[in-house]
Amino acid sequence: MEHVPPPAEELARLDRELAELDARRAQLLTRRAWLLAALRPTVPTAAPGWNPSGWGAPPGAPAQPWGQVPKRPSAPRGAQNVLLTLGGLLLTVAAIAFTLVSWGSMGIGGRSAVLAAVTLGALAAPAVLLRRGLAATAEALAALALVLTLLDVYAVHAVAAPDTDGLGFTALASAVLAALWTAYGLALGKLRLPLPAAVVLAQWPLLFWAWAVGAPAPVVGWALLATAVLDGAIALWGKGAGVRVTACVGGAVMGFSALMVGLALSLTAPGPLGAVAPGVLLLTASAAAVAGAWRAPKGFARTGGAVAGLAAVAAVGGVPAAALPAGWRVLAYLLCGLALTAVVRSRLPGHAARGVLAASGAVVAGALVWALPPLAAVLLGPVTVLSDVWAGTPDGFRSALGSTLPWSELAAAPVVLALVAGLLGTAYRWWPSVVRLAAPLAGPTTADAGPPAAGAPGTDAPGAAGGAAPWPGWSGWSGRPGAGAGGRGRPSAATLRGVVGAGAVALGWGALLLAGALLDVPHALALAGETALVGVLLALAVRGGGAERGATAMPVTALVASVAGAVSAGLLSLASEGASYAVFGALAALFAGAALRAGAGVPRAVFAVAAVVWGTVITGLAGRSLGLAPHEAAPLMLLVPALTVLLGARLRRNPVALPVELTGALGALVAVGLAVSDAPFLALVLALCGVLAAGTAVRPERRPVAGYLAATLFVLATWVRLAASEVSFPEAYTLPVTVPALLVGAARRRRDPEASSWTAYGPGLAATLLPSLAVAWTDPDWLRPLLLGTAALVITLLGARHRLQALLLLGGTVLALVGLHELAPYVVQVAGALPRWLPPALAGLLLLVVGATYEQRLRDARRLKDALVRMR
């Protein structure tokens, strides 16, 4: 017969209706609970005139939003249980005090009778209390019974068997108590304490037994492992959440301890035969972890797989590692860690297999971290050359690094990097095959294959070929870059392939650098090799610059590595003069060529900026070769900034133009810093920088910034030149400039009333006011400050009268500074006469006043700012 509608659609509709009914029922129950709470403190019946169907609150009921249930007062039964629990704890304390303090006042029979009677009563009472519904009291008495059984054990050892070994007796007692409390907890299933307590007691028998018999470390490891296996079985098949959680914690502690014992024995083994015994222990732990991961939930399965993988690597790798020199042992563990990737073709559950893969990745990452210190020494070691530039060509690569690392013990570092780089490069080259190999672990997506059947590939059931797909879209991957797509928040195939390629590039580059250091190649060969590597990396960066979206990891890594390698090679070349010119010239050419070949975007700008930096370094080297002092070499440093100005004019609005010009400006700033020690050269350099800024201001797109910068630099150059010439009356030089500048500004304002006062009058006023202010602060006479203050007052009043911002701010600032200079001696004199406590008190009072009127002061500041902004 045919269904109308189809069965699948009808089933979906029924499910929706049932869900709506459940939601409505929960809503009604919540409303009912609130109504009961609202009626309880008032009257047992509804007030007259209140309509229950109207869903309103009864008169006098507390206001309560819909869907929220008020807290009920504590029930009498709850208070009773709390009191009884406290009573049980007090009884426990009393029993301990009786056993430890009052034990000697009774005979052996009395003591035994009292403890036996109390213990039996405490064990029997919970059964009676549970039948009467007093669960909390039963739990309290069960805790008392637990303590009493421990005291019984202590009493037996102290009286009946005082000469027995304490560790052996403790092992036997903990085993007996664990069995008794297991039986007791199973008999009284409603008690939550006995079974977790039995699990805790079960942690100690084997460990204490091993210590008691003086067993060697391997036996202790086996005892810990056996206990961890028992905990794992309890965690999988135990009864109750408390039992399972306790077993998980105990198993984690005992298992970790067993693994640490095995690992320590394996690492300290005298030879391969000595590493076999701890290897067997570690392999057994690995097998136990796999067995637990086979049936454990998702998170525990991944953890179990990771533990199993790490234990297997330590077990298998420890045997050959014991026969290798110290510097090569990491290679044995690395090979074992890489062998774990074969789990993709195993029949492990998916989550457990991913844990094993995580262990493989952790081993590889650990090996790479071990190789990082020598690589960092190779990259950063040339910094030591800066302390003695051009001191002479060193004998070899290592001597130029200035590192004290034990290179003989790091012989395997480049092999480790090269091995991992080769594997990543192979995976990048044969990416479709890698995807096919990982497909059983990934499994089909729901959209592609529908829900998997039980035990089918893609499930986590025992015997399945793999787990659920790690992210949606895996099955849509192909070997073509960018084919398929990752799920939401997951990387795509192209992104993953790019990351793999980036890792291969970075590790291969590091392997070559480390190989040169370990072989201690000649200095010239090291320079040539590093420079050639920079060229290769630049070629990779340029070639990948047009990579599709999501596949940019490899070109970006090549770009970063090329810059780092260039810095390292450049520093290394500073050992000799000829090598410095050769290396930095080659670097400038390589990066300039990369900038020309690269497509538009950030990489091209980075290449161009780096080329400008290397060119600036070459000009600095030229100054040193000519025997010039730093301030004498400063004008020579402006050669590259001048070229960047010309290049910017050529590039115009090209995106690379601005980074190149800014880098040239930084070079000019370096030149200014070099010339600071000599005022005449500083004035010359500032004037030349002003010329460059004026040349940049010719272009309309740079005029707003470069124009002001050029004016500022020219004014600074003038002031510095006047100061260098020890001119005591700068007004004789500045006023002839100020008067025409003010006339030109007034003409500008007449033609364009909207022009800013800073553009019209700012340069002219600053040309006189600021140099005069600088001289007035060092002038002991009174005439100059008086004249300057008067002029500043007039300018300030004119600015306020005509609402000109430049006049108001410049005049007011100069007037305030002149006044401060004149009042400073008197302020110092008054401050010396005041009590020491008065200035802090006044400052505190000021802060209190400002804080109390903060809002008003803020409004005043805003009004002042608005008034200044409205000025021209």
Side-chain angles (χ1 to χ4, degrees), residues 702-717:
R702 300 284 187 261
R703 188 170 300 156
V705 176
Y708 287 109
L709 180 61
T712 303
L713 289 172
F714 283 132
V715 171
L716 286 175

Side-chain angles (χ1 to χ4, degrees), residues 571-831:
L571 292 174
L572 194 65
S573 69
L574 294 178
S576 64
E577 183 177 3
S580 299
Y581 284 109
V583 170
F584 279 105
L587 292 177
L590 287 173
F591 278 89
L596 294 175
R597 294 293 302 274
V602 175
R604 186 175 186 182
V606 173
F607 296 144
V609 166
V612 173
V613 171
W614 310 140
T616 304
V617 174
I618 292 174
T619 58
L621 296 176
R624 184 179 179 87
S625 296
L626 295 174
L628 301 177
H631 63 273
E632 294 174 339
L636 185 62
M637 294 286 292
L638 295 177
L639 178 61
V640 173
L643 293 177
T644 59
V645 170
L646 297 176
L647 184 60
R650 180 74 175 83
L651 295 173
R652 305 294 294 177
R653 297 185 182 275
N654 192 294
V656 180
L658 181 60
V660 168
E661 292 179 80
L662 290 178
T663 308
L666 290 177
L669 186 61
V670 173
V672 172
L674 292 175
V676 166
S677 60
D678 189 273
F681 272 93
L682 178 60
L684 174 62
V685 170
L686 289 174
L688 292 176
C689 291
V691 172
L692 295 178
T696 305
V698 174
R699 297 159 53 192
E701 68 273 11
R702 300 284 187 261
R703 188 170 300 156
V705 176
Y708 287 109
L709 180 61
T712 303
L713 289 172
F714 283 132
V715 171
L716 286 175
T718 303
W719 296 344
V720 173
R721 183 65 259 182
L722 293 176
S725 302
E726 298 181 355
V727 174
S728 57
F729 294 97
E731 293 82 5
Y733 298 90
T734 58
L735 284 175
V737 177
T738 295
V739 174
L742 293 177
L743 293 177
V744 172
R748 169 74 183 276
R749 289 273 297 175
R750 187 176 297 108
R751 291 195 308 269
D752 183 12
E754 298 297 324
S756 171
S757 61
W758 289 100
T759 304
Y761 305 119
L765 291 174
T768 294
L769 289 179
L770 298 182
S772 299
L773 178 64
V775 176
W777 267 72
T778 59
D779 190 354
D781 199 3
W782 58 272
L783 182 59
R784 184 189 301 278
L786 176 62
L787 295 176
L788 180 61
T790 303
L793 177 61
V794 173
I795 293 171
T796 303
L797 294 176
L798 288 174
R801 171 68 179 81
H802 297 285
R803 303 181 63 80
L804 298 175
Q805 189 181 96
L807 275 67
L808 181 62
L809 292 181
L810 281 174
T813 302
V814 172
L815 181 61
L817 292 176
V818 170
L820 178 62
H821 173 265
E822 295 302 308
L823 292 176
Y826 303 101
V827 172
V828 171
Q829 183 177 3
V830 172

Side-chain angles (χ1 to χ4, degrees), residues 375 378-379 414 417-418 421 502-516 529-537 540 557-569:
L375 181 59
V378 172
L379 290 176
L417 295 179
V505 169
L507 295 178
W509 169 62
L512 292 174
L513 291 180
L514 267 180
E530 286 205 40
T531 308
L533 282 177
V534 171
V536 173
L537 291 170
L540 288 175
T557 302
L559 173 61
V560 174
S562 65
V563 174
V567 173
S568 179

Side-chain angles (χ1 to χ4, degrees), residues 216-650:
V219 177
V220 175
W222 282 105
L224 291 170
L225 180 58
T227 305
V229 171
L230 176 62
D231 289 330
I234 296 173
L236 288 175
W237 295 293
K239 179 182 179 182
V243 174
R244 294 186 175 185
V245 171
T246 307
C248 284
V249 174
V253 174
M254 293 296 177
F256 178 78
S257 301
L259 290 174
M260 290 299 101
V261 170
L263 182 60
L265 293 174
S266 178
L267 292 176
T268 58
L273 293 179
V276 171
V280 173
L281 173 62
L282 293 171
L283 277 180
T284 306
S286 177
V290 169
W294 203 279
R295 294 182 176 273
K298 177 174 64 175
F300 292 99
R302 289 183 178 178
T303 304
V307 171
L310 293 174
V313 169
V316 179
V319 176
L324 294 174
W328 291 90
R329 292 182 179 181
V330 66
L331 191 60
Y333 292 107
L334 175 61
L335 293 174
C336 293
L338 293 174
L340 290 180
T341 55
V343 74
V344 298
R345 305 303 296 173
S346 69
R347 296 184 60 82
L348 273 180
H351 295 295
R354 294 188 194 104
V356 176
L357 288 179
S360 175
V363 173
V364 174
L368 295 179
V369 169
W370 173 81
L372 282 181
L375 181 59
V378 172
L379 290 176
L380 302 178
V383 176
T384 58
V385 181
L386 290 174
S387 61
D388 197 4
V389 177
W390 293 354
T393 303
D395 297 333
F397 194 5
R398 286 188 208 168
S399 58
L401 300 178
S403 176
T404 58
L405 287 175
W407 294 101
S408 60
E409 298 180 7
L410 301 171
V415 180
V416 168
L417 295 179
L419 178 60
V420 180
L423 292 175
L424 292 178
T426 303
Y428 179 83
R429 175 62 180 84
W430 305 102
W431 186 250
S433 300
V434 174
V435 173
R436 284 195 299 271
L437 287 174
L441 179 61
T445 60
T446 304
D448 294 335
T459 66
D460 274 346
W471 53 79
W474 174 287
S475 61
W477 285 13
S478 72
R480 301 185 308 274
R488 182 177 300 176
R490 298 288 190 175
S492 65
T495 301
L496 286 179
R497 188 182 185 189
V499 170
V500 169
V505 169
L507 295 178
W509 169 62
L512 292 174
L513 291 180
L514 267 180
L518 286 166
L519 295 175
D520 198 17
V521 298
H523 184 259
L525 182 58
L527 285 177
E530 286 205 40
T531 308
L533 282 177
V534 171
V536 173
L537 291 170
L538 286 176
L540 288 175
V542 170
R543 183 180 179 185
E548 61 189 86
R549 183 182 180 89
T552 58
M554 189 168 68
V556 169
T557 302
L559 173 61
V560 174
S562 65
V563 174
V567 173
S568 179
L571 292 174
L572 194 65
S573 69
L574 294 178
S576 64
E577 183 177 3
S580 299
Y581 284 109
V583 170
F584 279 105
L587 292 177
L590 287 173
F591 278 89
L596 294 175
R597 294 293 302 274
V602 175
R604 186 175 186 182
V606 173
F607 296 144
V609 166
V612 173
V613 171
W614 310 140
T616 304
V617 174
I618 292 174
T619 58
L621 296 176
R624 184 179 179 87
S625 296
L626 295 174
L628 301 177
H631 63 273
E632 294 174 339
L636 185 62
M637 294 286 292
L638 295 177
L639 178 61
V640 173
L643 293 177
T644 59
V645 170
L646 297 176
L647 184 60
R650 180 74 175 83

